[in-house]
Amino acid sequence: MKHLQEKVFAFLLASLLAATAFAQQAPSIMNIGSRQTTSLDGQWKTIVDPFENGYYDYRLKPYDGGYAQDKTYSDKAKLQEYDFETDKLLFVPGDWNTQRPQLYYYEGTVWYRKHFEYSLEPGKRLFLNFGAVNYEAIVWLNGKQLGKHIGGFTPFNFEITHLLKEGTNSLVVKADNKRIPEAVPTINADWWNFGGITRPVSLVETPSTYIRDYYVQLKKDDTRTIEGWIQLDGNTQSQKVTLDIPELKIKKEVTTNADGYASFQVKAAPLLWTPENPKLYAITITSGADKVTDEIGFRTIRTEGTKIMLNNREIFCRGISIHEETAYYSGRAYSKDHAHTLLSWAKELGCNFVRLAHYPHNEEMVREAERMGFLVWSEIPVYWTIHWENKETYRNAEQQLCDMIARDKNRCNIIIWSIANETPISEPRLTFLANLANKARSLDNVRLIGAAMEKEEVSPGLMTVNDPLDKVLDIISFNEYVGWYDGDSEKCDRVNWTFETPKPVFISELGGGALYGRHGSPQERFTEEYQEDMYIRHIQMLKRIPGLAGTTPWILKDFRSPRRHVPEIQDDFNRKGLVSDKGQKKKAFFVLQKWYEELKEAYKKKSLSKQTIPITPKKKNRL
Ligand code: GCU
């Protein structure tokens, strides 16, 4: 009886908290796309507020009655100095920089306002989910602050079950992309600081008890055991949950514990996911009134000395780096179509791997890569000169890591979580990154941990990586620009590499710039001929690297950067793309494509020669 009283009290307390105080930022909801959602995408009313007048008073204190109250300026006898009833609109999702010329370089606050109606049946719950807002978002519903989210590339949501109004609801978001030294990333980066509600916004309706999260994958290094867990939210104890994988004839029923959690293991022999055959299995998870479907690929990944082993077969990661930027108009990408265009170019290049730099890309990109057969390197923006000794900075970086893993842990094609890019060596930096690596491994033991370290020229023409971080990582991954930042193209002919640590070598960046259509001598920088010649010589250098297991040259497509100022050549674009920002393939594209074709054939032969032909016991002739 006492136990029941405790449960009832706990449930009442939770409901009271949810109803009175502001909504709590709820833990992430797995697989939004499979749920009952209502999109809030489209045109939102906006106010550009560089001095944050809608939030701080003239003494720089947050004040009640700010823009979040969304007051209509109807009584002209009263003073009101804002009004959302304006023709200043922005599309959501989307960055503001490429939507409005006045906002091209803008860094600061833009207020977004959306009105919507929603009738929620009793016993149902409603969540407000954001795919991402760059960089800081504060959200209000009907004048009540729901909460704040920091980090420009990870999803977040708030439960609004008890905050809905009859008729029109007012949703207000303060989006602020100001760069801050203690932030993640910090104030200096080589990509455009796209601001805004850059990914979709949706209302997610669930039963009172729903399947909030789940994980389904092969057990580490075991291709015959599928394991995972389910987490319910609501009245969750001793609930039945069923996992269905019809194509594998799996129907597994489990019962949740006091925390609404249930784990499982089932024997199975799934066809393993590979880039050549990206097999995905339809799964359904049901519990009570809730049902979620997904598509899961099964594979194992590990290293063996200097080899990367996918499903116990040595692979070479024929990769390319990609920023989350659309083809053609070069704004923040967010859709399946945006993803498909970029990945189709990578496919034409002959890639089986993409480095989604330098931050978690949108979920459509990861899922489209999984369907199209690309292995993925996924990364948090711990980039360059992060404030290693600031506790809040570490907490922010760790939160972004956890959110990235939480969202994509069921995407089999992600094989590397990357925790940093080109960070200067120091004790505080090593501690910061080692803690992130430990955190990632505590959350996920079926992926490799990487980072883009930097190389060192130990003597003229002899290169290596001298970074204590390589003891923490599973691969020796690093960026090098021999032939661009480091010497001219002919330097590639003179360089050799040596590595002590017996781990796979992965070059996460190499390359050089060219403006599409600019032609001249191979010695002239920014001509297609320079880039082509540099790639030819660079690839000959790569072939001499012992233990090279993959590379993701920088970069698939020219992209916007505020650091690139050669007029009529760069004009705010980094020109290291093998494809121009208008989708035109440069000469170097075909140099890399040719090498990848050779590698594909070589590894196919290697794998065939290693292939153990199953010895099937001789069948007795049955008459
Ligand atoms: C660095 C960095 C990239 C940058 C590139 C470049 O390696 O990681 O983000 O764009 O160099 O200078 O083009």
Side-chain angles (χ1 to χ4, degrees):
M1 186 56 186
K2 183 171 176 303
H3 186 61
L4 180 63
Q5 280 169 338
E6 275 170 1
K7 268 170 45 66
V8 168
F9 175 71
F11 185 70
L12 286 173
L13 179 63
S15 309
L16 191 64
L17 277 176
T20 49
F22 300 150
Q24 306 301 320
Q25 183 174 331
S28 65
I29 301 175
M30 171 57 69
N31 192 3
I32 295 291
S34 162
R35 299 183 186 263
Q36 188 180 329
T37 59
T38 301
S39 172
L40 294 181
D41 293 347
Q43 291 189 312
W44 292 41
K45 303 273 191 181
T46 60
I47 295 172
V48 179
D49 185 11
F51 281 31
E52 300 179 83
N53 192 51
Y55 187 71
Y56 294 108
D57 63 18
Y58 75 123
R59 294 294 184 243
L60 213 50
K61 292 207 175 355
Y63 66 100
D64 292 339
Y67 295 3
Q69 300 314 309
D70 183 12
K71 289 261 173 294
T72 307
Y73 184 30
S74 48
D75 180 353
K76 303 302 181 198
K78 289 228 173 33
L79 175 62
Q80 178 170 322
E81 295 193 87
Y82 77 94
D83 191 352
F84 276 111
E85 286 315 314
T86 160
D87 59 357
K88 296 274 190 298
L89 307 173
L90 283 172
F91 277 101
V92 168
D95 62 273
W96 61 59
N97 315 73
T98 57
Q99 289 194 55
R100 219 186 276 175
Q102 303 89 329
L103 299 179
Y104 175 63
Y105 286 110
Y106 181 67
E107 295 184 300
T109 285
V110 172
W111 293 87
Y112 288 78
R113 195 282 314 267
K114 186 78 178 179
H115 282 171
F116 69 90
E117 299 192 3
Y118 199 95
S119 56
L120 187 65
E121 291 163 33
K124 298 283 189 169
R125 296 169 72 179
L126 195 66
F127 296 84
L128 172 62
N129 189 79
F130 292 83
V133 176
N134 189 44
Y135 170 79
E136 177 197 87
I138 308 178
V139 182
W140 291 261
L141 183 69
N142 300 323
K144 276 193 188 314
Q145 182 172 327
L146 301 183
K148 178 191 285 191
H149 181 267
I150 288 176
F153 306 98
T154 48
F156 58 98
N157 73 79
F158 303 100
E159 182 162 7
I160 58 171
T161 308
H162 303 287
L163 295 172
L164 278 176
K165 272 174 38 177
E166 283 299 311
T168 301
N169 289 277
S170 161
L171 171 59
V172 175
V173 179
K174 179 183 182 290
D176 183 352
N177 73 334
K178 231 183 351 282
R179 286 168 295 122
I180 302 162
E182 302 78 14
V184 179
T186 180
I187 52 175
N188 190 19
D190 191 27
W191 68 80
W192 207 262
N193 182 22
F194 290 112
I197 303 178
T198 49
R199 294 180 191 164
V201 183
S202 42
L203 296 169
V204 185
E205 182 177 311
T206 73
S208 59
T209 295
Y210 74 102
I211 302 157
R212 179 170 58 73
D213 199 1
Y214 56 86
Y215 171 67
V216 182
Q217 188 43 253
L218 285 177
K219 187 177 171 191
K220 184 173 175 60
D221 300 335
D222 177 347
T223 58
R224 289 288 181 270
T225 304
I226 293 175
E227 67 177 9
W229 49 264
I230 292 112
Q231 179 64 59
L232 300 184
D233 185 310
N235 181 17
T236 60
Q237 182 168 359
S238 311
Q239 301 294 314
K240 293 257 178 288
V241 185
T242 306
L243 166 71
D244 273 305
I245 312 180
E247 209 178 333
L248 294 174
K249 297 185 176 36
I250 289 172
K251 192 176 190 63
K252 179 74 178 173
E253 186 172 288
V254 290
T255 302
T256 57
N257 65 12
D259 301 321
Y261 176 90
S263 61
F264 63 84
Q265 265 195 8
V266 287
K267 285 298 175 197
L271 185 64
L272 302 182
W273 185 96
T274 64
E276 298 74 27
N277 183 11
K279 171 68 181 169
L280 296 175
Y281 285 87
I283 74 161
T284 302
I285 300 175
T286 48
S287 180
D290 202 14
K291 179 171 88 165
V292 182
T293 59
D294 206 338
E295 291 192 303
I296 300 289
F298 297 103
R299 55 97 185 112
T300 64
I301 192 75
R302 63 186 173 85
T303 62
E304 189 177 287
T306 60
K307 296 173 185 165
I308 295 177
M309 307 293 278
L310 176 71
N311 304 326
N312 292 323
R313 289 244 170 93
E314 182 186 3
I315 58 167
F316 188 94
C317 301
R318 308 187 309 271
I320 191 74
S321 293
I322 300 179
H323 258 306
E324 187 180 53
E325 202 179 88
T326 59
Y328 311 114
Y329 76 86
S330 294
R332 257 297 165 249
Y334 55 84
S335 73
K336 181 176 176 181
D337 285 351
H338 295 153
H340 191 77
T341 301
L342 295 170
L343 293 171
S344 299
W345 292 344
K347 190 61 83 177
E348 192 180 340
L349 187 55
C351 298
N352 63 358
F353 189 101
V354 288
R355 177 187 179 197
L356 300 185
H358 283 298
Y359 36 75
H361 285 214
N362 65 85
E363 193 171 356
E364 294 292 352
M365 182 64 162
V366 178
R367 284 181 177 270
E368 187 66 3
E370 189 178 50
R371 286 187 287 263
M372 291 176 70
F374 291 98
L375 294 159
V376 165
W377 160 310
S378 189
E379 181 167 309
I380 53 173
V382 174
Y383 182 100
W384 289 355
T385 52
I386 293 288
H387 285 213
W388 310 111
E389 299 182 82
N390 180 310
K391 293 213 176 331
E392 191 45 37
T393 302
Y394 178 79
R395 202 207 53 73
N396 180 349
E398 187 176 270
Q399 186 60 53
Q400 293 191 45
L401 175 71
C402 293
D403 291 347
M404 171 174 73
I405 294 174
R407 190 194 75 181
D408 291 341
K409 58 184 175 287
N410 288 310
R411 305 279 67 80
C412 72
N413 60 328
I414 296 179
I415 60 166
I416 296 170
W417 298 124
S418 171
I419 56 174
N421 181 75
E422 291 192 353
T423 52
I425 294 174
S426 73
E427 263 315 301
R429 166 260 195 184
L430 183 59
T431 305
F432 189 105
L433 297 182
N435 288 339
L436 285 179
N438 293 338
K439 183 67 180 176
R441 290 197 174 98
S442 72
L443 295 170
D444 179 339
N445 70 351
V446 290
R447 288 180 175 88
L448 308 177
I449 306 299
M453 296 182 280
E454 293 183 284
K455 55 98 176 151
E456 185 183 324
E457 188 159 12
V458 288
S459 62
L462 186 62
M463 306 280 184
T464 188
V465 170
N466 248 337
D467 186 330
L469 189 60
D470 77 350
K471 304 292 177 291
V472 172
L473 305 177
D474 293 310
I475 53 178
I476 305 178
S477 37
F478 61 96
N479 299 345
E480 53 86 6
Y481 281 91
V482 177
W484 184 257
Y485 293 122
D486 178 0
D488 295 335
S489 302
E490 55 73 37
K491 180 168 182 178
C492 299
D493 307 343
R494 293 185 279 112
V495 163
N496 285 295
W497 296 78
T498 176
F499 299 96
E500 274 167 30
T501 315
K503 292 180 180 176
V505 175
F506 192 109
I507 297 186
S508 38
E509 284 182 38
L510 62 91
L515 176 69
Y516 176 80
R518 182 183 179 84
H519 295 290
S521 99
Q523 280 66 48
E524 186 187 341
R525 299 272 180 150
F526 290 113
T527 61
E528 284 197 55
E529 285 70 25
Y530 185 100
Q531 191 188 44
E532 178 189 40
D533 179 54
M534 196 280 289
Y535 264 82
I536 290 169
R537 295 168 186 261
H538 208 107
I539 287 169
Q540 292 314 312
M541 179 190 78
L542 296 181
K543 290 179 177 178
R544 299 195 294 270
I545 295 182
L548 184 65
T551 182
T552 46
W554 194 258
I555 187 168
L556 178 67
K557 178 189 83 71
D558 291 351
F559 62 95
R560 294 187 193 277
S561 165
R563 303 174 75 242
R564 308 296 169 170
H565 303 129
V566 179
E568 293 170 24
I569 291 182
Q570 293 179 313
D571 295 325
D572 286 347
F573 273 87
N574 183 313
R575 295 292 181 195
K576 297 189 183 69
L578 295 175
V579 182
S580 78
D581 53 296
K582 298 292 178 260
Q584 303 143 315
K585 296 179 183 68
K586 303 174 193 175
K587 294 171 86 169
F589 178 97
F590 304 100
V591 174
L592 186 62
Q593 184 187 55
K594 179 170 175 293
W595 184 44
Y596 280 177
E597 189 52 39
E598 291 164 12
L599 278 168
K600 185 179 172 184
E601 289 314 308
Y603 275 78
K604 197 189 288 181
K605 284 200 189 80
K606 198 183 248 195
S607 134
L608 285 175
S609 66
K610 291 255 169 61
Q611 190 174 19
T612 46
I613 312 293
I615 316 289
T616 45
K618 285 231 177 313
K619 287 199 174 60
K620 292 193 180 51
N621 292 333
R622 290 195 185 83
L623 296 174

